[in-house]
Structures are given as structure tokens and as C-alpha cells.
Amino acid sequence: MSTSEQHGRARRRLVAATGAAALTLAAGLVPQQAAAADGDKVLTVAVAQSVDSLSPFLAQRLLSTSIHRLTYEYLTNYDPEDARAIPALATKWTSSPDKLTWTYTIRSNSSWSDGKRATAEDAAWTFNTMKTDPDAATANGSFVANFRKVTAPSPTKLVIELKKPQATMTALDVPIVPKHVWEKVDDYSEFNNDEKFPIVGNGPFILTDYKPDSYVRLKANKDFWRGAPKFDELVFRYYKDQDAAVAALRKGEVSFVSGSPSLTPAQASSLKSEKNIKVNDAPGRRFYALAVNPGARAKNGEKLGDGHPSLLDERVRHALFMAVDRKTIIDKVFQGYAVQGEGYIPPRFGSYFWEPSDGQELAYDPAKAARLLDEAGYKKNGDGKRLGKDGKPLDYRVLCHATDPNDKAIGQYLQEWWGDLGIDVTLNCLDNVTDPWLAGTYDLAFDGWSVNPDPDFVMSIHTCAALPATPKDTGATDNFICDKQYDELYAKQLAEYDPAKRADLVKQMQSRLYDLGYMNVMAYPNAVEAYRTDQIASITTMPEKAGNIYGQDGYWSWWSATPADGGDSGGSSSTGIVVGIVAGVVVLAGAGVFFALRRRSTAEDRE
């Protein structure tokens, strides 16, 4: 899950709980306490992803981590213009000459929404809890794995001592939570932070109401140190059907549509001619890929799932890669709203973007792909079907998202392209892809992450350290990849402070991922989204010159959004009507990178 940018993996128990709580209403009135007050300006955002958890210690999906960006401060933020680190909860920071001790000055004018002051002790407690409790480290544990000691000598002084240098110390994408609230939690693996509202926070918005698979409602924090948002309320409304979300935008029932994760080319084209609607089409911060099951296993060596054994052969993985026509995917599926995929980090991220060399590139070449399969011992029988070592025809299960039209369209191409090689493809399109993914019960799967302003997190999800401890646990891994050479490069980049040298190491990591053949990055989709100009007069993109609105590394879009004069904001009527197209669904999101650095969105990021 980003991000950054951020599709996260939810814990099995969380997904089960969400499914059990899913509503089946097509539309209806929200509870009276969720209704907006008369005259309030409400910005309503249509989203295609449900919340996995409202706990910052567990949340990995892009929607969830975006909400935490709005409700909790981080030590630092990212400038919307160029993604450089700027003050947030910390006003300044310094390091010792050996880079092993970092001292942060915590601002004195940030308060929790219950009136208590936010201090360095809250930050120290947050990091120490993640260090000592594996469940609290579920979402962001990679950031603190190298911490030796964290202390708060005073309310405005935070000191972090490291085991070895760590280049991400100005990009610790961890929500700082109020100690006086969270120290009362007994089990961080079970606590979803969704039982008592409003939720205590210190960000630009306060989370006031939530209904699973329906909506999340936030209220402007009038005491936010940077200044109060201009909209009184912000509502994320869940739509399983993207066409329904677009229709709601046309009717003015919502202010903004982000898509799943983007609008389709047909939807974007149709909205461009609509009065009072602006389509934002910008270079994206996510990649779109096919992930190969590498023989899923846990850290203790126990195997998970039932990935096809033929995929353990690098020649087979490369053959599948070379039988995918990425140009056709860009032209026919994305219809130009994407850039052809290469490495793991999108071209938007400048110095970290990597492309394979001429001799290294696994270019579209079906004939060479067929020869590789022959060499690997997977030859065709009299019926033209390639046989596995067990004598049975190869038939790969491809896990896809039922709500993502791109998955289905590209899946049909795979059936054609790999069918020509003599390999059958069974598309397994589900609302809930999380359970089979966590269990390793797939052969290949559509994958995507939003990349963030520091590449560490999104690269960390392919390390051996990210694997689950046992098959019963949930790790931070994206796809169960574990490779010694990759891990060595990861450790080097984490300790490298020279920007050019670190960028070179990150490129070497992408090169290694590419050669392994476990991740086939097919495209870098554009950020295609739309909003009503008669409801939103102005809003900040990130980067400001040409960037996304939804799923930013920061809170700039929703914090800066200005209501249109005289316009009715989506969902702002005093009746409190919220149309919810509701059902239990899990959508990969991106989890991502923005500009040149960051972490999974977790994802999307995390994200």
C-alpha cells in the first residue's frame, strides 16, 4: 500500500472486518450527525477505494494514508513546487558530523484537536512504539528499523540516534500521533481507530465521521498552525462504479473525481466538453505493472501459496515480458494517457528515472520469447499448448481488480499474446484481491504503486526484510521478492547522502529488478482527474506546474482549495444527503514516488 505514492496490502483480519461491515444501499441519507451545517462549504471527493484502516500504524492504501496526511502532522512536509523538505511539526533539523544523531526542533504552536499541545514527546512515543511493537510497525516500520534511540529532552526538542547513516531523515513519512490518546491502546493489530469521533489530530482537518465503504467526513481545523482550510468540510465518498462517480460530478453531487485510480480516456474526453468541469491531465506519480509470484515465502523459510513452478525460471519470466506489447497498451488501452513503462520509478522523478540499455532491454519480440520457452524445456505439444514439467499445459492465473477497466482490457491482450506462445491465461478478477495476494495464491497479478519524493520506501518493499515473519503474519512486502544483490544495493542507497551517488544506486536497484523479471512495468499512467469549477475556484497541484491533485505527498490540494463564489459545493445541502454507491471492494492504489524520492504509498503509496 502508498506513499507513497503510497496499493497497500491490508491485514487479513481488517479486510474481513470491512467486508462484514459493507453496506448494500444504493443511496440514502447519512446519519444526522454526519450532515453538514447550514451554509457550510463542503468539498466532496468521489473515490474508488475503500479505507483499510484509520490507524496510522496499519493503514497502507492511498485513501487511508491521504486521510492521515490531512489529520496528523509529520516531522517534515514536501514543498508543492519542487518536493524539497520543508517544516511541518519540526521547524528545523540538524545532524551530527557523522550523520548518526539528528536533532529536530518541534514547533510550539501546534495543538491537538482536544486542546493539548503537540510536543516532541508525542513524536518520540510514536517512533519508539513502532520500534518496540511489531504490530505498530506494520505500515511504516522500515523508517525506524535503523533507529538506535529516540528521546525528547524537552517539549520542543526531539533527538534520534541511528545505528548507521540514513538518507531519509528529512523524509520520514510517519504520522505523529498524540501519546495521551494512543498509549491507551492494548493491541495495535486490532485497533482501527474508528470507534470514537471526532478523532484527535493536529492536521488541517479533523476526522469527524466514517461509515465503511460509504464515506469519510472531515471538518476544517480552525486552529491549524499554517491556517485553516477554506472549505468547512471535506468528504471522501466511495463509489464502486466509476461511471456513477462521473455522473455524480456532472450532476454537481460531488466536487471532484479521481478515478480508479484515474479517469478512463473515454470519461476524460467526455468531461472536457462539459460546462463548469475542468479535467486535470498531468504526468503521473505511479507505475502500472505485472507482478510475478516469485515463489512466495516467509522470513522463516516457509512457503506460501501455490505460484506456478515454471515462473521460478528466469527465462520463462523474460519470455512473458517480451511477449507483452507495451506500445499497444499505451495506444489502445490508455489511449495516450500514459507513458510506456521501463523501470520502477516514473520519468516525473528526474534523477531517479532509469531505462534499460540496448543490450539489456526485454523488448517486444514474440519469436525470441518462444525460443526462450523452448530452451527452458517448455515446448509445445501437438495441439500447440506448452507443457509444464508435470506434462500439463501451462495455464497462468492472473489476479486482477474487478473495478479496474485497464486490468480487464490488458488481460484480454495477455490471453491473445501468451496464447500465441501456447500458454493459457485465466483472469481472476475480484473485488477483494488482498486475500489471495497475501496468501500467495496467484501466478501473476496486476500491480501498481504511487511513488513518493524519496524512493526509499517504494524500494524497501522488495527487500527480504519486508517479508512476513511467518505465513500467518503480514509483512510490508509487495510481491515476496527476496534477492541478496538487491538487498545489498538497498542498504548502500539508504546510507548514501550524496544525491548523485544515491540516485545511481537507486538506478542499479531498478536494473536488478528488471533483470530478475519479477516486475514488468508496462506503463506510467497520467494523473487524470476532474473537478467542478463552479464549486472549486482554485486548487493546488503537486508539482504546481503540472501535477496531481488527489493522492499528493502532503495536504496542499485540499488545504488550499478555494470555494467558488456563489457555487453550491457537492454535498453541502442542509439535508445532509450523501449518495453512496456501496459494496465491499479492495482496489490497488498506488501505492508511489513523486519527483524523485519517497516511499510506498503506501503506496501509493502507502500510497
Side-chain angles (χ1 to χ4, degrees):
M1 273 227 316
S2 122
T3 264
S4 22
E5 283 349 8
Q6 83 152 234
H7 87 278
R9 304 284 178 262
R11 305 173 70 83
R12 287 186 179 90
R13 68 192 73 178
L14 298 180
V15 174
T18 299
L23 303 178
T24 55
L25 302 175
L29 298 177
V30 301
Q32 188 60 40
Q33 64 268 24
D38 287 342
D40 278 358
K41 291 293 183 179
V42 182
L43 197 168
T44 306
V45 179
V47 295
Q49 187 181 54
S50 56
V51 170
D52 54 346
S53 176
L54 291 178
S55 165
F57 296 117
L58 300 178
Q60 295 178 346
R61 293 187 195 152
L62 182 60
L63 173 60
S64 308
T65 56
S66 295
I67 290 170
H68 292 141
R69 277 274 179 197
L70 296 167
T71 53
Y72 299 102
E73 274 282 45
Y74 295 35
L75 287 183
T76 61
N77 208 329
Y78 299 102
D79 190 298
E81 182 177 355
D82 57 11
R84 63 186 173 86
I86 60 174
L89 185 60
T91 60
K92 60 182 180 179
W93 43 89
T94 58
S95 69
S96 59
D98 62 5
K99 305 292 187 183
L100 293 178
T101 300
W102 285 74
T103 302
Y104 301 82
T105 299
I106 303 301
R107 68 176 56 257
S108 59
N109 61 339
S110 177
S111 299
W112 299 111
S113 52
D114 61 1
K116 296 182 182 296
R117 177 179 163 186
T119 70
E121 180 62 27
D122 294 304
W125 184 89
T126 299
F127 291 131
N128 282 322
T129 300
M130 292 167 59
K131 267 173 47 65
T132 58
D133 190 317
D135 292 321
T138 299
N140 300 303
S142 64
F143 287 110
V144 303
N146 183 44
F147 288 10
R148 182 186 301 279
K149 185 179 181 181
V150 185
T151 57
S154 76
T156 58
K157 186 177 181 180
L158 175 73
V159 180
I160 300 177
E161 298 177 32
L162 304 174
K163 301 172 185 176
K164 57 186 178 181
Q166 181 171 325
T168 62
M169 295 308 289
T170 60
L172 297 173
D173 295 318
V174 176
I176 303 301
V177 302
K179 174 185 176 182
H180 65 280
V181 174
W182 284 84
E183 65 182 353
K184 301 173 184 176
V185 175
D186 294 325
D187 186 346
Y188 291 100
S189 70
E190 298 287 351
F191 184 69
N192 286 321
N193 199 26
D194 57 2
E195 297 177 355
K196 184 178 180 181
F197 296 95
I199 291 175
V200 178
N202 64 338
F205 288 90
I206 300 167
L207 209 166
T208 59
D209 195 18
Y210 163 64
K211 187 177 289 295
D213 301 311
S214 182
Y215 65 85
V216 180
R217 186 178 291 273
L218 303 100
K219 184 178 180 180
N221 182 359
K222 303 299 183 182
D223 298 320
F224 183 52
W225 69 268
R226 200 185 290 273
K230 298 176 179 64
F231 275 91
D232 300 297
E233 290 193 351
L234 174 64
V235 177
F236 292 98
R237 186 184 301 173
Y238 170 67
Y239 287 82
K240 181 179 180 180
D241 184 274
Q242 188 162 300
D243 286 332
V246 171
L249 182 73
R250 285 193 170 96
K251 296 175 184 177
E253 295 173 348
V254 300
S255 316
F256 179 97
V257 172
S258 63
S260 172
S262 296
L263 297 177
T264 66
Q267 290 167 341
S269 297
S270 68
L271 288 174
K272 285 181 178 178
S273 61
E274 290 279 343
K275 182 181 178 181
N276 297 325
I277 292 179
K278 178 178 176 58
V279 174
N280 183 49
D281 177 15
R285 57 180 286 246
R286 61 182 278 110
F287 65 82
Y288 183 85
L290 261 178
V292 178
N293 189 328
R297 65 179 179 85
K299 288 180 185 177
N300 65 0
E302 291 187 51
K303 295 182 179 180
L304 289 89
D306 54 2
H308 202 287
S310 64
L311 296 173
L312 300 179
D313 191 320
E314 187 176 284
R315 293 169 296 183
V316 174
R317 300 194 298 271
H318 283 186
L320 296 178
F321 204 137
M322 289 186 288
V324 173
D325 187 351
R326 288 172 290 164
K327 186 177 185 303
T328 292
I329 289 173
I330 300 301
D331 295 342
K332 301 298 184 181
V333 178
F334 289 99
Q335 297 179 33
Y337 287 93
V339 177
Q340 184 170 307
E342 299 288 355
Y344 202 62
I345 297 178
R348 166 171 162 174
F349 302 108
S351 60
Y352 292 93
F353 176 62
W354 170 87
E355 296 178 279
S357 62
D358 291 339
Q360 180 184 22
E361 184 181 7
L362 298 171
Y364 180 58
D365 191 339
K368 187 174 181 179
R371 290 196 297 272
L372 276 178
L373 291 171
D374 287 340
E375 292 173 9
Y378 298 95
K379 298 184 177 181
K380 289 184 177 180
N381 62 10
D383 297 325
K385 300 293 185 181
R386 291 195 182 269
L387 302 180
K389 299 300 173 66
D390 58 2
K392 298 180 181 178
L394 295 182
D395 185 351
Y396 293 141
R397 302 160 299 164
V398 178
L399 189 62
C400 75
H401 308 86
T403 57
D404 192 332
N406 294 328
D407 284 9
K408 296 177 181 178
I410 295 172
Q412 292 176 356
Y413 277 111
L414 295 180
Q415 290 175 326
E416 174 186 340
W417 293 330
W418 293 352
D420 290 341
L421 290 176
I423 298 173
D424 289 330
V425 173
T426 300
L427 291 178
N428 190 18
C429 297
L430 305 172
D431 282 346
N432 175 11
V433 300
T434 301
D435 286 350
W437 198 301
L438 289 173
T441 53
Y442 63 95
D443 298 323
L444 299 102
F446 288 102
D447 195 9
W449 284 96
S450 293
V451 186
N452 312 317
D454 189 290
D456 175 72
F457 189 91
V458 79
M459 306 306 290
S460 75
I461 60 179
H462 294 310
T463 61
C464 299
L467 294 175
T470 73
K472 295 181 180 180
D473 297 305
T474 300
T477 184
D478 173 45
N479 190 44
F480 299 99
I481 294 174
C482 177
D483 176 71
K484 181 180 180 181
Q485 183 176 331
Y486 180 88
D487 276 13
E488 291 173 350
L489 290 168
Y490 173 78
K492 289 180 181 179
Q493 70 80 30
L494 182 60
E496 181 56 68
Y497 282 90
D498 182 279
K501 292 180 180 179
R502 187 178 182 218
D504 182 65
L505 287 167
V506 171
K507 289 179 181 179
Q508 291 181 48
M509 294 170 68
Q510 294 179 77
S511 178
R512 179 60 179 169
L513 275 181
Y514 186 90
D515 290 343
L516 288 172
Y518 291 124
M519 295 292 295
N520 179 356
V521 177
M522 299 178 289
Y524 308 117
N526 290 5
V528 186
E529 48 203 1
Y531 65 91
R532 294 199 63 92
T533 56
D534 56 350
Q535 295 183 15
I536 303 174
S538 65
I539 194 165
T540 299
T541 61
M542 186 175 183
E544 287 181 332
K545 292 182 179 179
N548 54 293
I549 295 172
Y550 177 75
Q552 294 181 357
D553 290 294
Y555 41 64
W556 309 112
S557 54
W558 313 125
W559 173 75
S560 70
T562 302
D565 292 338
D568 291 328
S569 299
S572 65
S573 68
S574 60
T575 58
I577 295 179
V578 171
V579 180
I581 307 300
V582 187
V585 61
V586 178
V587 181
L588 295 181
V593 197
F594 158 35
F595 154 76
L597 317 132
R598 171 156 179 190
R599 98 155 217 246
R600 141 176 103 165
S601 142
T602 97
E604 97 122 36
D605 114 24
R606 96 149 241 348
E607 318 219 320

